Amino acid sequence: MKKIVILISGAGSNMAAIVQAAHQQRWDQRLGVQVAAVISNKPGAAGLDWLRSQSAYSAIQTDVLEHAQFESREAFDQALMKRIDVHAPDLVVLAGFMRILTPGFVAHYAGRLINIHPSLLPAFTGLNTHQRAIDAGCQFAGATVHQVTAELDHGQILAQAVVPVLPGDTADKLAARVLTQEHLIYPAAVAAFFKP
Ligand code: GRF
């Protein structure tokens, strides 16, 4: 059985969408893959609470590694790699994991590390994507699933979803509209990664 490890920092709604899709679509039987673990760098991440409350997903291990307890980014990433590699993952999925990763980490998972970013890349890398799209007068916004490379929010595009920017949009309203699409394209992109 192939393994997926998901990294989160907060709400974990994309993680939940992937876990639910894996269950409902029987990825174990159809694709020979299962979500083995969800790891957070924040102990209070709501996504962890949600996952632990779902008896249907009790086989998925949860783990916390607090970045604040490490002296350097390198030390944290080395420790995180150890925690991840316990599961020997075929794919590591960043789902709202709010850490910039070191080149060593990215190189270690080359070709098996993906992220979702809430913009139509290559536009609006980095933070505050929704406000920046509104401020720029964009008529469309969206989200991108991409391979992770050493350069932030670059790497091969695997999937995109487009939503309209509507009159009177706030960053929050636009973010919510984009997020509903993230929950569709991210599970689909993960499944596509394992399709023969
Ligand atoms: C999403 O908008 C994702 O694109 C971005 O961070 C947010 C995470 O949301 N990278 P959630 O934790 O999956 O609910």
Side-chain angles (χ1 to χ4, degrees), residues 39-57:
I39 304 175
S40 172
N41 64 316
K42 295 204 176 156
L48 283 182
D49 292 339
W50 174 82
L51 187 58
R52 288 169 177 153
S53 74
Q54 302 292 307
S55 55
Y57 308 131

Side-chain angles (χ1 to χ4, degrees), residues 118-125 128-143 161-171 174-175 177-178:
S119 79
L120 294 172
L121 291 173
F124 306 122
T125 60
N128 302 319
T129 53
H130 304 299
Q131 190 60 53
R132 288 159 64 207
I134 291 168
D135 292 346
C138 294
Q139 297 187 357
F140 296 94
V162 179
V163 304
V165 180
L166 299 176
D169 258 356
T170 60
L174 180 55
R177 193 174 308 124
V178 171

